Coordinates of all heavy atoms in Angstrom, one line a residue:
M1 N -13.6 -3.5 -3.0 CA -13.9 -3.8 -1.6 C -15.2 -3.2 -1.2 O -15.1 -2.0 -1.3 CB -12.6 -3.4 -0.8 CG -12.8 -3.7 0.6 SD -11.3 -3.3 1.4 CE -11.9 -2.1 2.5
T2 N -16.1 -3.9 -0.7 CA -17.3 -3.3 -0.2 C -17.0 -3.3 1.2 O -16.4 -4.1 1.9 CB -18.4 -4.2 -0.5 OG1 -18.3 -5.5 0.1 CG2 -18.8 -4.3 -2.0
S3 N -17.6 -2.2 1.9 CA -17.3 -1.8 3.2 C -18.6 -1.4 3.9 O -19.5 -0.8 3.3 CB -16.3 -0.7 3.4 OG -16.7 0.4 2.9
K4 N -18.6 -1.8 5.2 CA -19.9 -1.3 6.0 C -19.5 -0.1 6.7 O -20.4 0.7 7.1 CB -20.1 -2.6 7.0 CG -20.7 -3.8 6.4 CD -20.9 -4.8 7.4 CE -21.3 -6.1 6.6 NZ -21.6 -7.2 7.6
S5 N -18.3 0.3 6.9 CA -17.8 1.4 7.6 C -17.4 2.4 6.6 O -16.6 2.2 5.7 CB -16.7 1.2 8.5 OG -17.0 0.2 9.5
P6 N -18.0 3.7 6.7 CA -17.6 4.8 5.7 C -16.3 5.1 5.7 O -15.6 5.5 4.8 CB -18.6 5.9 6.1 CG -19.3 5.5 7.2 CD -19.1 4.2 7.5
E7 N -15.5 4.9 6.9 CA -14.1 5.2 6.9 C -13.3 4.4 6.0 O -12.2 4.8 5.6 CB -13.6 4.8 8.4 CG -14.3 5.8 9.4 CD -15.6 5.3 10.1 OE1 -16.0 4.2 9.7 OE2 -16.2 6.0 10.8
L8 N -13.9 3.2 5.7 CA -12.9 2.3 4.8 C -13.0 2.8 3.3 O -12.3 2.2 2.4 CB -13.5 0.8 4.9 CG -13.3 0.1 6.2 CD1 -13.8 -1.2 6.1 CD2 -11.9 0.1 6.5
D9 N -13.9 3.8 3.0 CA -13.8 4.4 1.6 C -12.7 5.4 1.5 O -12.4 5.8 0.4 CB -15.2 5.3 1.5 CG -16.4 4.3 1.3 OD1 -16.1 3.0 1.0 OD2 -17.4 4.6 1.6
I10 N -12.1 5.6 2.7 CA -10.8 6.5 2.6 C -9.6 5.7 1.9 O -9.5 4.5 2.3 CB -10.4 6.9 4.0 CG1 -11.4 7.7 4.7 CG2 -9.1 7.7 4.0 CD1 -11.3 7.9 6.2
G11 N -8.9 6.3 1.2 CA -7.7 5.6 0.6 C -6.6 5.4 1.6 O -6.5 6.2 2.6
L12 N -5.7 4.5 1.3 CA -4.5 4.3 2.4 C -3.7 5.5 2.5 O -3.2 5.7 3.6 CB -3.8 3.1 2.0 CG -4.4 1.7 2.1 CD1 -3.7 0.7 1.4 CD2 -4.7 1.5 3.6
S13 N -3.4 6.3 1.5 CA -2.5 7.5 1.6 C -3.2 8.6 2.6 O -2.6 9.1 3.5 CB -2.2 8.2 0.3 OG -1.3 7.2 -0.4
D14 N -4.5 8.8 2.3 CA -5.2 9.7 3.1 C -5.3 9.2 4.6 O -5.2 9.9 5.6 CB -6.6 9.9 2.6 CG -6.6 10.7 1.3 OD1 -5.7 11.4 1.0 OD2 -7.7 10.7 0.6
A15 N -5.5 8.0 4.7 CA -5.6 7.3 6.2 C -4.3 7.4 6.8 O -4.2 7.8 8.1 CB -6.0 5.9 6.1
W16 N -3.2 7.3 6.1 CA -2.0 7.4 6.7 C -1.6 8.9 7.2 O -1.2 9.1 8.3 CB -0.9 7.0 5.6 CG 0.6 7.1 6.2 CD1 1.5 7.9 5.8 CD2 1.2 6.3 7.1 NE1 2.7 7.8 6.4 CE2 2.5 6.8 7.3 CE3 0.9 5.3 8.0 CZ2 3.5 6.2 8.1 CZ3 1.7 4.7 8.9 CH2 2.9 5.2 9.0
G17 N -2.0 9.7 6.3 CA -1.8 11.2 6.6 C -2.7 11.6 7.9 O -2.1 12.3 8.7
R18 N -3.9 11.1 7.9 CA -4.7 11.4 9.2 C -4.1 10.7 10.4 O -4.1 11.4 11.5 CB -6.1 10.9 8.9 CG -6.8 11.7 7.9 CD -8.2 11.1 7.7 NE -9.0 11.9 6.6 CZ -10.3 11.7 6.3 NH1 -10.9 10.8 7.1 NH2 -10.8 12.3 5.2
L19 N -3.6 9.5 10.2 CA -3.0 8.9 11.4 C -1.8 9.6 11.9 O -1.6 9.7 13.1 CB -2.7 7.5 11.0 CG -2.2 6.5 12.2 CD1 -3.3 6.4 13.1 CD2 -1.8 5.2 11.5
Q20 N -1.0 10.2 11.0 CA 0.2 11.1 11.4 C -0.3 12.3 12.2 O 0.5 12.8 12.9 CB 0.9 11.5 10.2 CG 1.6 10.3 9.4 CD 2.5 9.4 10.2 OE1 3.4 10.0 10.9 NE2 2.4 8.2 10.2
Q21 N -1.6 12.6 12.0 CA -2.1 13.8 12.8 C -2.9 13.3 13.9 O -3.8 14.1 14.4 CB -3.0 14.6 11.8 CG -2.2 15.3 10.6 CD -3.0 16.0 9.6 OE1 -4.2 16.0 9.7 NE2 -2.4 16.5 8.6
N22 N -2.7 12.1 14.4 CA -3.3 11.5 15.6 C -4.8 11.4 15.3 O -5.5 11.4 16.3 CB -3.0 12.4 16.8 CG -1.6 12.4 17.1 OD1 -0.8 11.4 17.0 ND2 -1.1 13.6 17.6
D23 N -5.3 11.2 14.2 CA -6.7 10.8 13.9 C -6.7 9.2 13.9 O -6.6 8.5 12.9 CB -7.1 11.4 12.6 CG -8.6 10.9 12.3 OD1 -9.3 10.2 13.1 OD2 -9.0 11.3 11.2
F24 N -7.0 8.6 15.2 CA -6.9 7.2 15.3 C -8.1 6.5 14.7 O -8.0 5.2 14.7 CB -6.6 6.9 16.7 CG -5.2 7.5 17.2 CD1 -5.1 8.5 18.0 CD2 -4.0 6.8 16.7 CE1 -3.9 8.9 18.4 CE2 -2.8 7.2 17.0 CZ -2.7 8.4 17.8
V25 N -9.1 7.2 14.3 CA -10.3 6.6 13.8 C -9.8 5.9 12.4 O -10.5 4.9 12.1 CB -11.3 7.6 13.5 CG1 -12.5 7.0 12.7 CG2 -11.9 8.2 14.8
T26 N -8.9 6.4 11.8 CA -8.5 5.8 10.5 C -7.6 4.6 10.7 O -7.2 4.0 9.7 CB -7.8 6.8 9.6 OG1 -6.6 7.4 10.4 CG2 -8.6 8.0 9.2
Q27 N -7.3 4.2 11.9 CA -6.5 3.0 12.1 C -7.1 1.8 11.5 O -6.4 1.0 10.9 CB -6.3 2.7 13.6 CG -5.0 3.5 14.2 CD -4.9 3.0 15.7 OE1 -5.9 3.0 16.4 NE2 -3.6 2.8 16.1
Q28 N -8.4 1.7 11.5 CA -9.0 0.5 10.9 C -8.8 0.5 9.4 O -8.8 -0.7 8.9 CB -10.6 0.5 11.4 CG -11.5 1.5 10.7 CD -12.9 1.3 11.1 OE1 -13.4 0.2 11.0 NE2 -13.5 2.4 11.5
V29 N -8.7 1.6 8.8 CA -8.5 1.5 7.4 C -7.1 1.0 7.2 O -7.0 0.2 6.2 CB -8.5 3.0 6.8 CG1 -8.2 3.0 5.3 CG2 -9.9 3.6 7.0
I30 N -6.1 1.4 7.9 CA -4.7 0.9 7.6 C -4.7 -0.6 7.9 O -4.2 -1.4 7.1 CB -3.8 1.6 8.6 CG1 -3.7 3.2 8.5 CG2 -2.5 1.0 8.6 CD1 -3.2 3.7 7.2
Y31 N -5.5 -1.0 9.0 CA -5.4 -2.5 9.3 C -6.1 -3.3 8.2 O -5.7 -4.3 7.8 CB -5.9 -2.8 10.7 CG -4.9 -2.2 11.7 CD1 -5.3 -1.3 12.7 CD2 -3.7 -2.6 11.8 CE1 -4.5 -0.9 13.6 CE2 -2.8 -2.2 12.8 CZ -3.2 -1.3 13.7 OH -2.3 -0.8 14.5
R32 N -7.3 -2.9 8.0 CA -8.1 -3.7 7.1 C -7.7 -3.6 5.6 O -7.5 -4.5 4.9 CB -9.7 -3.3 7.3 CG -10.4 -3.7 8.5 CD -11.8 -3.2 8.4 NE -12.4 -3.6 9.7 CZ -13.7 -3.3 10.0 NH1 -14.5 -2.6 9.1 NH2 -14.2 -3.6 11.0
K33 N -7.9 -2.3 5.1 CA -7.6 -2.1 3.7 C -6.0 -2.4 3.4 O -5.7 -2.9 2.3 CB -7.9 -0.7 3.3 CG -8.0 -0.5 1.9 CD -8.5 1.0 1.6 CE -9.8 1.0 0.9 NZ -10.3 2.3 0.6
G34 N -5.3 -2.1 4.4 CA -3.8 -2.3 4.2 C -3.5 -3.7 4.0 O -2.7 -4.1 3.2
A35 N -4.1 -4.6 4.8 CA -4.0 -6.0 4.8 C -4.4 -6.6 3.4 O -3.7 -7.4 2.7 CB -4.7 -6.8 5.9
L36 N -5.4 -6.1 2.9 CA -6.0 -6.4 1.5 C -5.0 -6.1 0.5 O -4.7 -6.8 -0.6 CB -7.4 -5.9 1.3 CG -8.5 -6.5 2.2 CD1 -9.8 -5.7 2.1 CD2 -8.7 -7.9 1.9
F37 N -4.4 -4.7 0.7 CA -3.5 -4.3 -0.3 C -2.2 -5.2 -0.4 O -1.8 -5.6 -1.5 CB -3.1 -2.8 -0.1 CG -2.0 -2.4 -0.6 CD1 -1.9 -2.0 -2.1 CD2 -0.6 -2.3 -0.2 CE1 -0.7 -1.7 -2.9 CE2 0.5 -1.9 -0.7 CZ 0.4 -1.6 -2.2
W38 N -1.7 -5.4 0.7 CA -0.4 -6.3 0.8 C -0.6 -7.6 0.3 O 0.2 -8.2 -0.5 CB 0.1 -6.4 2.2 CG 0.7 -5.0 2.7 CD1 0.3 -4.2 3.6 CD2 1.8 -4.2 2.1 NE1 0.9 -3.1 3.7 CE2 1.9 -3.1 2.7 CE3 2.7 -4.5 1.0 CZ2 2.9 -2.1 2.6 CZ3 3.7 -3.7 0.7 CH2 3.8 -2.5 1.5
Q39 N -1.9 -8.2 0.4 CA -2.2 -9.5 -0.1 C -2.2 -9.5 -1.7 O -1.8 -10.3 -2.3 CB -3.4 -10.1 0.5 CG -3.8 -11.4 -0.1 CD -5.1 -11.9 0.6 OE1 -6.0 -11.2 1.2 NE2 -5.5 -13.2 0.4
A40 N -3.0 -8.4 -2.1 CA -3.1 -8.4 -3.6 C -1.8 -8.0 -4.3 O -1.5 -8.6 -5.3 CB -4.0 -7.1 -3.8
L41 N -0.9 -7.2 -3.6 CA 0.4 -6.9 -4.1 C 1.2 -8.2 -4.1 O 1.9 -8.5 -5.1 CB 1.0 -5.8 -3.4 CG 2.5 -5.5 -3.8 CD1 2.5 -5.1 -5.3 CD2 3.1 -4.4 -3.0
D42 N 1.2 -9.0 -3.1 CA 2.0 -10.2 -2.9 C 1.5 -11.2 -4.0 O 2.4 -11.8 -4.7 CB 2.0 -10.8 -1.6 CG 3.1 -11.8 -1.3 OD1 4.2 -11.6 -1.8 OD2 2.9 -12.8 -0.7
Q43 N 0.3 -11.3 -4.3 CA -0.3 -12.2 -5.3 C 0.2 -11.8 -6.7 O 0.6 -12.5 -7.5 CB -1.8 -12.1 -5.2 CG -2.2 -13.0 -4.0 CD -3.8 -13.0 -3.9 OE1 -4.5 -12.2 -4.5 NE2 -4.3 -13.8 -3.0
A44 N 0.2 -10.4 -6.9 CA 0.8 -9.9 -8.2 C 2.3 -10.2 -8.4 O 2.6 -10.6 -9.5 CB 0.4 -8.5 -8.4
L45 N 2.9 -10.0 -7.4 CA 4.5 -10.3 -7.4 C 4.7 -11.8 -7.7 O 5.5 -12.2 -8.3 CB 5.1 -9.9 -6.2 CG 5.1 -8.3 -5.9 CD1 5.5 -8.0 -4.4 CD2 6.2 -7.8 -6.8
Q46 N 3.9 -12.6 -7.0 CA 4.0 -14.0 -7.2 C 3.9 -14.5 -8.7 O 4.5 -15.4 -9.1 CB 3.2 -14.8 -6.2 CG 3.6 -14.7 -4.8 CD 2.7 -15.4 -3.8 OE1 1.9 -16.3 -4.1 NE2 2.8 -15.1 -2.5
K47 N 2.9 -13.9 -9.3 CA 2.6 -14.2 -10.7 C 3.8 -13.8 -11.6 O 3.8 -14.3 -12.7 CB 1.4 -13.5 -11.1 CG 0.2 -14.0 -10.6 CD -1.1 -13.2 -11.1 CE -2.3 -13.8 -10.4 NZ -3.5 -13.1 -10.8
H48 N 4.6 -13.1 -11.1 CA 6.0 -12.7 -11.8 C 7.3 -13.1 -11.0 O 8.2 -12.6 -11.2 CB 6.1 -11.1 -11.9 CG 4.9 -10.6 -12.7 ND1 3.7 -10.2 -12.2 CD2 5.0 -10.2 -14.0 CE1 3.0 -9.7 -13.3 NE2 3.8 -9.8 -14.4
D49 N 7.1 -14.3 -10.4 CA 8.1 -15.1 -9.8 C 8.9 -14.3 -8.8 O 10.1 -14.2 -8.7 CB 9.1 -15.6 -10.7 CG 8.5 -16.7 -11.8 OD1 7.6 -17.4 -11.3 OD2 8.7 -16.7 -13.0
S50 N 8.1 -13.4 -8.0 CA 8.7 -12.6 -6.9 C 7.9 -12.6 -5.9 O 6.8 -13.4 -5.8 CB 8.9 -11.1 -7.5 OG 9.7 -10.5 -6.5
N51 N 8.2 -11.8 -4.7 CA 7.2 -11.8 -3.6 C 7.8 -10.6 -2.6 O 8.7 -10.0 -3.0 CB 7.3 -13.1 -2.8 CG 8.7 -13.5 -2.2 OD1 9.4 -12.7 -1.8 ND2 9.0 -14.8 -2.4
L52 N 6.9 -10.3 -1.8 CA 7.2 -9.2 -0.9 C 8.5 -9.3 -0.1 O 9.2 -8.3 0.2 CB 6.1 -9.0 0.1 CG 4.8 -8.2 -0.4 CD1 3.7 -8.2 0.6 CD2 5.2 -6.8 -0.9
D53 N 8.8 -10.5 0.3 CA 10.1 -10.8 1.0 C 11.3 -10.3 0.2 O 12.2 -9.7 0.8 CB 10.2 -12.3 1.3 CG 9.2 -12.8 2.4 OD1 8.7 -12.0 3.0 OD2 9.0 -14.1 2.3
R54 N 11.3 -10.5 -1.1 CA 12.4 -10.0 -1.9 C 12.5 -8.5 -2.1 O 13.6 -8.0 -2.2 CB 12.2 -10.7 -3.3 CG 12.5 -12.1 -3.5 CD 12.4 -12.6 -4.8 NE 12.5 -14.0 -4.9 CZ 12.3 -14.8 -6.0 NH1 11.8 -14.2 -7.1 NH2 12.4 -16.0 -5.9
L55 N 11.4 -7.9 -1.9 CA 11.3 -6.4 -2.0 C 11.4 -5.7 -0.7 O 11.4 -4.4 -0.6 CB 10.1 -6.0 -2.8 CG 10.0 -6.4 -4.2 CD1 8.7 -6.0 -4.9 CD2 11.2 -6.0 -5.1
L56 N 11.4 -6.4 0.5 CA 11.4 -5.8 1.8 C 12.6 -4.8 1.9 O 12.3 -3.7 2.5 CB 11.4 -6.8 2.8 CG 11.4 -6.4 4.3 CD1 9.9 -5.6 4.5 CD2 11.4 -7.5 5.2
P57 N 13.7 -5.1 1.4 CA 14.9 -4.1 1.6 C 14.5 -2.7 1.0 O 15.0 -1.7 1.4 CB 16.0 -4.8 1.0 CG 15.8 -6.2 1.0 CD 14.3 -6.3 0.9
F58 N 13.7 -2.7 -0.1 CA 13.3 -1.4 -0.6 C 12.3 -0.7 0.0 O 12.1 0.4 -0.3 CB 13.0 -1.7 -2.2 CG 14.1 -2.4 -2.9 CD1 13.9 -3.7 -3.3 CD2 15.1 -1.8 -3.2 CE1 14.8 -4.4 -4.1 CE2 16.2 -2.4 -4.0 CZ 16.0 -3.8 -4.4
L59 N 11.6 -1.4 0.9 CA 10.4 -0.9 1.6 C 10.8 0.0 2.8 O 10.3 0.9 3.2 CB 9.4 -2.0 2.0 CG 8.2 -1.5 2.6 CD1 7.3 -0.5 1.8 CD2 7.3 -2.7 3.0
I60 N 11.9 -0.5 3.5 CA 12.3 0.1 4.8 C 12.8 1.4 4.4 O 13.8 1.7 3.6 CB 13.4 -0.8 5.4 CG1 12.7 -2.2 5.7 CG2 13.9 -0.1 6.7 CD1 13.8 -3.2 6.1
T61 N 12.3 2.5 5.1 CA 12.7 3.8 4.9 C 12.4 4.7 6.2 O 11.4 4.3 6.8 CB 12.0 4.5 3.7 OG1 12.4 5.8 3.5 CG2 10.5 4.4 3.9
P62 N 13.2 5.6 6.5 CA 12.9 6.5 7.7 C 11.9 7.5 7.3 O 11.5 8.2 8.2 CB 14.2 7.1 7.9 CG 15.0 7.2 6.7 CD 14.5 5.9 5.9
D63 N 11.5 7.6 6.1 CA 10.6 8.7 5.7 C 9.2 8.2 6.0 O 8.6 7.3 5.6 CB 10.6 8.9 4.1 CG 9.7 10.0 3.7 OD1 9.1 10.7 4.5 OD2 9.7 10.2 2.4
T64 N 8.5 9.0 6.9 CA 7.2 8.8 7.3 C 6.1 9.6 6.7 O 5.0 9.7 7.1 CB 7.0 8.8 8.9 OG1 7.3 10.1 9.3 CG2 7.8 7.7 9.7
K65 N 6.6 10.5 5.8 CA 5.6 11.3 5.1 C 5.0 10.7 4.0 O 3.8 11.1 3.5 CB 6.4 12.5 4.5 CG 7.0 13.4 5.6 CD 7.8 14.5 5.1 CE 8.5 15.4 6.2 NZ 9.5 16.3 5.6
T66 N 5.3 9.6 3.4 CA 4.6 8.9 2.4 C 4.5 7.5 2.9 O 5.2 6.9 3.7 CB 5.4 8.8 1.1 OG1 6.8 8.2 1.4 CG2 5.8 10.2 0.6
I67 N 3.5 6.8 2.4 CA 3.1 5.4 2.8 C 4.0 4.5 2.2 O 4.4 3.5 2.8 CB 1.6 5.2 2.4 CG1 1.1 3.9 3.2 CG2 1.3 5.1 0.9 CD1 -0.5 3.8 3.2
L68 N 4.4 4.8 0.9 CA 5.4 3.9 0.3 C 6.5 4.7 -0.3 O 6.2 5.6 -1.1 CB 4.7 3.0 -0.8 CG 3.7 2.1 -0.3 CD1 2.9 1.4 -1.6 CD2 4.4 1.0 0.6
N69 N 7.7 4.4 0.0 CA 8.8 5.3 -0.7 C 9.0 5.0 -2.1 O 8.5 4.1 -2.7 CB 10.1 5.1 0.1 CG 10.7 3.7 -0.1 OD1 10.9 3.2 -1.2 ND2 10.9 3.1 1.0
A70 N 9.6 6.0 -2.8 CA 9.7 6.0 -4.4 C 10.5 4.8 -4.7 O 10.2 4.3 -5.8 CB 10.3 7.3 -4.7
R71 N 11.6 4.4 -4.0 CA 12.4 3.3 -4.5 C 11.6 2.0 -4.4 O 11.7 1.2 -5.5 CB 13.6 3.2 -3.5 CG 14.6 2.2 -4.1 CD 15.9 2.2 -3.2 NE 16.7 1.0 -3.7 CZ 17.6 0.6 -3.1 NH1 18.0 1.0 -1.8 NH2 18.5 -0.4 -3.6
F72 N 10.9 1.8 -3.5 CA 10.0 0.5 -3.3 C 9.0 0.6 -4.6 O 8.9 -0.4 -5.2 CB 9.3 0.5 -2.1 CG 8.3 -0.7 -1.9 CD1 8.8 -1.9 -1.7 CD2 7.0 -0.5 -2.1 CE1 7.9 -3.0 -1.6 CE2 6.1 -1.6 -2.0 CZ 6.6 -2.9 -1.8
Q73 N 8.4 1.7 -4.8 CA 7.4 1.8 -5.9 C 8.0 1.5 -7.2 O 7.5 0.8 -8.1 CB 6.7 3.1 -5.9 CG 5.8 3.4 -4.7 CD 5.0 4.5 -4.8 OE1 4.3 4.7 -5.9 NE2 4.9 5.4 -3.8
R74 N 9.3 2.0 -7.4 CA 10.0 1.7 -8.7 C 10.3 0.2 -8.9 O 10.2 -0.4 -10.0 CB 11.3 2.5 -8.8 CG 11.2 4.1 -9.1 CD 12.5 4.7 -9.5 NE 13.5 4.5 -8.4 CZ 13.6 5.3 -7.5 NH1 12.8 6.3 -7.3 NH2 14.5 5.1 -6.5
E75 N 10.6 -0.4 -7.8 CA 11.0 -1.8 -7.8 C 9.8 -2.6 -8.1 O 9.8 -3.6 -8.9 CB 11.7 -2.2 -6.4 CG 13.1 -1.6 -6.3 CD 14.0 -2.0 -7.3 OE1 14.0 -3.3 -7.8 OE2 14.9 -1.3 -7.6
V76 N 8.7 -2.3 -7.5 CA 7.4 -3.1 -7.7 C 7.0 -2.8 -9.2 O 6.6 -3.9 -9.8 CB 6.2 -2.6 -6.7 CG1 4.9 -3.1 -7.2 CG2 6.6 -3.0 -5.3
S77 N 7.0 -1.6 -9.6 CA 6.6 -1.4 -11.0 C 7.5 -2.2 -12.0 O 7.0 -2.7 -13.0 CB 6.7 0.1 -11.3 OG 6.3 0.4 -12.5
A78 N 8.8 -2.3 -11.8 CA 9.6 -3.1 -12.6 C 9.3 -4.5 -12.7 O 9.5 -5.2 -13.6 CB 11.1 -2.9 -12.1
V79 N 8.8 -5.1 -11.4 CA 8.5 -6.4 -11.4 C 7.1 -6.8 -12.0 O 7.0 -7.6 -12.9 CB 8.5 -7.0 -10.0 CG1 8.0 -8.4 -9.9 CG2 10.0 -6.9 -9.5
I80 N 6.1 -6.1 -11.6 CA 4.7 -6.3 -12.1 C 4.3 -5.6 -13.3 O 3.1 -5.8 -13.8 CB 3.7 -6.3 -11.0 CG1 3.5 -4.8 -10.4 CG2 4.0 -7.2 -9.8 CD1 2.4 -4.6 -9.4
G81 N 4.9 -4.5 -13.6 CA 4.5 -3.6 -14.7 C 3.9 -2.4 -14.2 O 3.1 -2.4 -13.2
N82 N 4.0 -1.3 -14.9 CA 3.6 -0.1 -14.5 C 2.0 0.0 -14.5 O 1.5 0.6 -13.6 CB 4.1 1.1 -15.4 CG 3.9 2.5 -14.9 OD1 4.2 2.7 -13.6 ND2 3.6 3.3 -15.8
Q83 N 1.3 -0.7 -15.5 CA 0.0 -0.6 -15.6 C -0.7 -1.3 -14.3 O -1.6 -0.7 -13.7 CB -0.5 -1.1 -16.8 CG -2.1 -1.2 -16.9 CD -2.4 -1.7 -18.4 OE1 -1.7 -2.1 -19.2 NE2 -3.7 -1.8 -18.6
L84 N -0.2 -2.5 -14.1 CA -0.8 -3.2 -12.9 C -0.5 -2.4 -11.5 O -1.4 -2.2 -10.7 CB -0.3 -4.6 -12.9 CG -0.9 -5.5 -11.6 CD1 -2.4 -5.5 -11.7 CD2 -0.2 -6.8 -11.8
W85 N 0.7 -1.8 -11.5 CA 1.0 -1.2 -10.2 C 0.0 0.1 -10.0 O -0.4 0.4 -9.0 CB 2.5 -0.7 -10.3 CG 2.9 0.1 -9.1 CD1 3.6 1.3 -9.1 CD2 2.7 -0.3 -7.7 NE1 3.9 1.7 -7.9 CE2 3.3 0.9 -6.9 CE3 2.1 -1.2 -6.9 CZ2 3.3 0.9 -5.6 CZ3 2.2 -1.2 -5.7 CH2 2.7 -0.2 -4.9
K86 N 0.0 0.9 -11.2 CA -1.0 2.0 -11.2 C -2.4 1.6 -10.7 O -3.2 2.2 -10.0 CB -1.1 2.7 -12.5 CG 0.1 3.6 -12.7 CD 0.1 4.4 -13.9 CE 1.1 5.2 -14.4 NZ 1.1 6.1 -15.5
Q87 N -2.8 0.4 -11.2 CA -4.2 -0.1 -11.0 C -4.4 -0.4 -9.5 O -5.3 -0.1 -8.8 CB -4.6 -1.3 -11.8 CG -5.8 -2.0 -11.5 CD -6.0 -3.4 -12.3 OE1 -5.3 -3.6 -13.4 NE2 -6.8 -4.2 -11.8
L88 N -3.4 -1.1 -8.9 CA -3.4 -1.5 -7.4 C -3.3 -0.1 -6.6 O -4.2 -0.1 -5.6 CB -2.2 -2.3 -7.2 CG -2.3 -3.8 -7.4 CD1 -1.0 -4.5 -7.3 CD2 -3.4 -4.4 -6.7
K89 N -2.5 0.8 -7.1 CA -2.4 2.1 -6.2 C -3.8 2.8 -6.2 O -4.2 3.4 -5.2 CB -1.3 3.0 -6.7 CG 0.0 2.5 -6.5 CD 1.1 3.5 -6.7 CE 1.0 4.2 -7.9 NZ 2.1 5.2 -8.2
S90 N -4.5 2.8 -7.4 CA -5.8 3.4 -7.6 C -6.8 2.7 -6.8 O -7.6 3.4 -6.1 CB -6.2 3.5 -9.0 OG -7.4 3.9 -9.3
E91 N -6.8 1.4 -6.8 CA -7.8 0.6 -6.1 C -7.8 0.8 -4.6 O -8.9 0.9 -3.9 CB -7.6 -0.8 -6.4 CG -8.7 -1.7 -5.9 CD -8.6 -3.2 -6.3 OE1 -7.9 -3.5 -7.3 OE2 -9.1 -4.1 -5.6
Y92 N -6.5 1.0 -4.0 CA -6.4 1.1 -2.6 C -6.1 2.4 -2.2 O -5.7 2.7 -1.0 CB -5.2 0.1 -2.2 CG -5.8 -1.2 -2.3 CD1 -5.6 -2.0 -3.4 CD2 -6.6 -1.9 -1.3 CE1 -5.9 -3.4 -3.5 CE2 -7.1 -3.1 -1.4 CZ -6.7 -3.9 -2.5 OH -7.2 -5.2 -2.7
G93 N -6.1 3.5 -3.1 CA -6.0 4.9 -2.7 C -4.5 5.1 -2.2 O -4.4 5.9 -1.2
I94 N -3.6 4.8 -3.0 CA -2.2 5.0 -2.6 C -1.7 6.1 -3.7 O -1.7 6.1 -4.8 CB -1.3 3.9 -2.8 CG1 -1.9 2.9 -1.6 CG2 0.1 4.2 -2.5 CD1 -1.1 1.6 -1.7
Q95 N -1.3 7.3 -3.1 CA -0.9 8.4 -3.8 C 0.7 8.5 -3.8 O 1.3 8.0 -2.8 CB -1.5 9.7 -3.4 CG -2.9 9.6 -3.4 CD -3.6 10.8 -2.7 OE1 -2.9 11.5 -1.9 NE2 -4.9 10.8 -2.6
E96 N 1.3 9.1 -4.7 CA 2.8 9.2 -4.7 C 3.2 10.4 -3.9 O 2.5 11.3 -3.6 CB 3.3 9.3 -6.1 CG 2.9 8.1 -6.8 CD 3.8 7.7 -8.0 OE1 4.9 8.2 -8.0 OE2 3.2 7.2 -9.0

C-alpha cells in the first residue's frame, strides 16, 4: 500500500495501541489501512469457501489490549493457512 501520509506507515497494532492512549492522529490508519486489511482478509477467506461473517463470533471479545484476539487468529489461520495469515499480518502490521 502506498501512502501519502507518513502516519499510514504505522502498523495496525501500533495504531491501535496509540489510539488506546488517546492519540487520535492514528485514527486515519485504523480507518484506511484497517479497511484494506479486512477486505484482503475477506478475499482470502472467500478463496477457501469462507468469509468474515462466518468468523465474526470468534472476533467478538471484551479484550481491548490486542487488535485481534488469539481465538480469531487461530480460526483464520485454520481456514486460510498459517503462511498466508502471517503474510497478511506482516503486510498490515498486526502483532500478536
Side-chain angles (χ1 to χ4, degrees):
M1 175 174 122
T2 59
S3 63
K4 295 179 182 175
S5 300
E7 294 86 9
L8 292 179
D9 292 334
I10 300 169
L12 286 171
S13 290
D14 289 338
W16 178 251
R18 290 181 186 187
L19 189 61
Q20 297 300 314
Q21 296 173 0
N22 298 321
D23 178 357
F24 296 106
V25 174
T26 58
Q27 271 185 315
Q28 69 176 317
V29 175
I30 300 293
Y31 291 123
R32 288 182 182 178
K33 196 178 245 185
L36 293 171
F37 164 74
W38 290 115
Q39 180 182 14
L41 177 56
D42 198 36
Q43 289 173 345
L45 289 166
Q46 289 175 18
K47 289 179 182 177
H48 292 88
D49 297 321
S50 190
N51 58 44
L52 283 173
D53 291 340
R54 290 183 183 169
L55 297 179
L56 186 60
F58 302 110
L59 182 59
I60 299 170
T61 178
D63 183 6
T64 58
K65 294 178 184 172
T66 60
I67 194 165
L68 295 173
N69 68 55
R71 184 174 180 198
F72 177 79
Q73 291 194 50
R74 283 192 304 272
E75 294 296 326
V76 169
S77 181
V79 174
I80 67 172
N82 196 41
Q83 183 177 357
L84 180 53
W85 178 232
K86 283 183 178 182
Q87 179 183 340
L88 283 172
K89 288 193 313 183
S90 174
E91 184 174 343
Y92 291 95
I94 296 176
Q95 303 164 358
E96 300 202 28

